[in-house]
């Protein structure tokens, strides 16, 4: 069945669940199809083992068999796997909007309504599977906050809320919410002040007491919430302000320094005239020790503009790599 056909078959089932006998003309009108198509949809329900009775006579039509109740869930093996893995991934560091306990209880409810054989197979997978990413220590946002903000974004309505910034200071904010973004295990709200001024980024786990206000606004043309959040995170002040120039392509550098970690900008062609270009890289970081290995992995010429301490770390890494390469030279007892 196509997506539209599936949607109409489910709509037919919902109508029949309302009880009583529904005539074919009534069903055709409500579904926006002809009477022949209604009968075909009924056949689809019968193929799914849903008992639909045909009632003959002047006021005949279709109804669900007396006493029939839909099971809580009708999922294929693949659909059930997708639901449970999604819940598990959310608990393991995804941008969940609920506590770990809520995710566990939701997964337990899904498992309870599955057929025994399928439930056992899925439980075997969940018990034996492992994940490379571990849960983030950050607290998830309140579900009510996320849902209220989503409604405000969709309706383009201003919101007011209480916010605690990274320094621990509390304030009342009024914002035009442009979009919601999930990134690296956290949710962010993008928007502008009530007067439509400076762009703002807010972490949802620091927001409480959301109220949707009267009025409306227009999101600026071409606004990209995800790009705005990534750019903001890359420019957030940290202990070290790193500035580099790398000879290479933006695409290659991005493969090692993704958005949210580094801000990139073109810095002109290389004077050698070989067609290569220089790219300026700005990184804000609390620590510098992870940057030299990344520069080594880039395998491109680079210039460290600041800080000087990064140059010392790069030289130290180069010496260590050289000593590792020379270790055991001329002997046969090194690992193979």
């Amino acid at each position: 069945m196509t997506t539209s056909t599936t949607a109409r078959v489910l709509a037919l089932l919902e109508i029949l669940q309302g009880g009583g006998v529904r005539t074919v003309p009534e069903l055709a009108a409500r579904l926006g199809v002809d009477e022949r198509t209604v009968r075909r949809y009924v056949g689809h329900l019968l193929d799914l083992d849903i008992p639909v009775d045909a009632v003959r006579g002047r006021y005949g039509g279709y109804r669900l068999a007396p006493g029939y109740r839909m099971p809580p869930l009708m999922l294929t093996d693949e659909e059930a796997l997708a639901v449970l893995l999604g819940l598990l991934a959310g608990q393991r560091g995804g941008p969940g909007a609920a506590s770990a306990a809520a995710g566990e209880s939701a997964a337990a409810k899904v498992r309870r309504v599955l057929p025994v054989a399928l439930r056992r197979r899925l439980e075997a997978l969940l018990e034996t599977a492992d994940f490379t990413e571990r849960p983030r220590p950050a607290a998830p946002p309140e579900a009510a906050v996320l849902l209220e903000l989503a409604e405000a974004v969709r309706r383009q309505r201003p919101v007011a809320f209480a916010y605690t910034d990274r320094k621990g200071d509390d304030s009342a904010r009024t914002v035009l919410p442009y979009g919601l973004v999930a990134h690296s295990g956290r949710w962010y709200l993008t928007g502008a002040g009530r007067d439509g001024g400076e762009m703002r980024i807010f972490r949802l786990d620091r927001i409480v007491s959301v109220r949707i206000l009267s009025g409306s606004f227009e999101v600026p043309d071409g606004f990209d919430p995800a790009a705005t959040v990534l750019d903001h995170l890359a420019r957030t002040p940290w202990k070290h302000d790193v500035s580099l120039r790398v000879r290479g392509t933006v695409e290659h550098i991005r493969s090692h320094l993704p958005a949210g970690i580094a801000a990139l900008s073109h810095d002109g062609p290389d004077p050698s005239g070989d067609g290569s270009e220089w790219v300026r890289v700005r990184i804000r970081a609390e620590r510098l020790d992870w940057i030299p290995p990344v520069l080594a992995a880039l395998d491109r010429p680079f210039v460290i503009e600041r800080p000087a301490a990064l140059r010392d770390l790069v030289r130290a890494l180069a010496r260590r790599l050289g000593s590792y390469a020379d270790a055991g030279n001329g002997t046969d007892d090194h690992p193979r």
Side-chain angles (χ1 to χ4, degrees):
M1 289 188 290
T2 65
T3 302
S4 59
T5 298
T6 301
R8 289 195 177 97
V9 170
L10 293 175
L12 170 61
L13 177 57
E14 185 176 358
I15 294 170
L16 295 178
Q17 283 184 290
V21 176
R22 306 292 180 173
T23 66
V24 174
E26 175 193 356
L27 293 171
R30 294 186 62 176
L31 295 173
V33 298
D34 57 36
E35 296 183 10
R36 182 179 178 182
T37 302
V38 169
R39 295 186 177 92
R40 189 170 73 250
Y41 289 171
V42 170
H44 288 318
L45 293 178
L46 293 171
D47 290 340
L48 295 171
D49 294 326
I50 298 174
V52 180
D53 291 341
V55 180
R56 300 184 180 279
R58 181 178 178 184
Y59 300 103
Y62 293 105
R63 69 181 180 189
L64 287 180
Y68 176 76
R69 293 290 182 271
M70 282 289 294
L73 283 176
M74 296 179 63
L75 298 176
T76 65
D77 291 12
E78 190 173 359
E79 289 168 341
L81 177 61
V83 171
L84 289 178
L85 286 181
L87 289 169
L88 184 59
Q91 297 171 38
R92 296 296 184 102
S99 66
E104 291 171 1
S105 64
K109 289 177 180 178
V110 172
R111 289 198 296 268
R112 279 200 299 269
V113 299
L114 294 174
V116 174
L118 175 57
R119 183 172 70 245
R120 288 175 179 167
R121 295 176 66 190
L122 291 174
E123 287 176 346
L125 172 63
L126 298 181
E127 289 172 7
T128 57
D130 201 358
F131 288 73
T132 57
E133 293 185 3
R134 300 302 176 187
R136 293 179 60 101
E142 294 181 11
V145 167
L146 179 58
L147 296 177
E148 193 80 352
L149 289 173
E151 181 69 11
V153 170
R154 184 176 66 177
R155 296 168 57 192
Q156 296 183 337
R157 297 278 298 277
V159 292
F161 52 80
Y163 190 71
T164 304
D165 64 20
R166 61 185 300 183
K167 297 179 181 178
D169 296 331
D170 298 328
S171 60
R173 307 293 184 100
T174 301
V175 175
L176 307 181
Y178 290 169
L180 290 165
V181 178
H183 171 67
S184 191
R186 287 195 175 101
W187 281 95
Y188 297 87
L189 172 69
T190 64
R194 185 67 184 266
D195 58 357
E198 183 182 357
M199 181 59 54
R200 305 283 184 175
I201 307 294
F202 303 93
R203 270 176 45 179
L204 262 65
D205 57 309
R206 295 174 176 170
I207 294 176
V208 295
S209 305
V210 177
R211 290 185 298 112
I212 298 180
L213 306 178
S214 60
S216 62
F217 62 89
E218 295 292 331
V219 178
D221 291 339
F223 178 74
D224 186 336
T228 300
V229 168
L230 292 175
D231 182 70
H232 169 82
L233 294 176
R235 298 176 188 278
T236 299
W238 297 94
K239 183 177 180 180
H240 299 286
D241 180 10
V242 178
S243 179
L244 307 164
R245 294 174 63 241
V246 180
R247 193 173 77 183
T249 64
V250 169
E251 292 75 19
H252 177 69
I253 298 171
R254 267 283 173 253
S255 67
H256 295 272
L257 291 167
I261 293 179
L264 307 183
S265 59
H266 294 279
D267 201 40
D270 185 74
S272 65
D274 62 359
S276 60
E277 67 170 335
W278 286 87
V279 177
R280 186 172 297 278
V281 180
R282 294 289 301 277
I283 303 172
R284 266 78 173 187
E286 287 296 309
R287 295 166 35 233
L288 297 174
D289 55 352
W290 62 271
I291 299 178
V294 174
L295 295 178
L298 278 174
D299 193 22
R300 295 290 189 276
F302 61 86
V303 175
I304 299 174
E305 296 181 324
R306 64 175 181 271
L310 181 58
R311 297 192 191 98
D312 296 334
L313 290 174
V314 170
R315 294 188 185 104
L317 176 61
R319 288 193 295 270
R320 288 198 304 275
L321 292 176
S323 66
Y324 299 154
D326 292 337
N329 237 3
T331 67
D332 292 326
D333 57 353
H334 58 281
R336 294 185 184 273

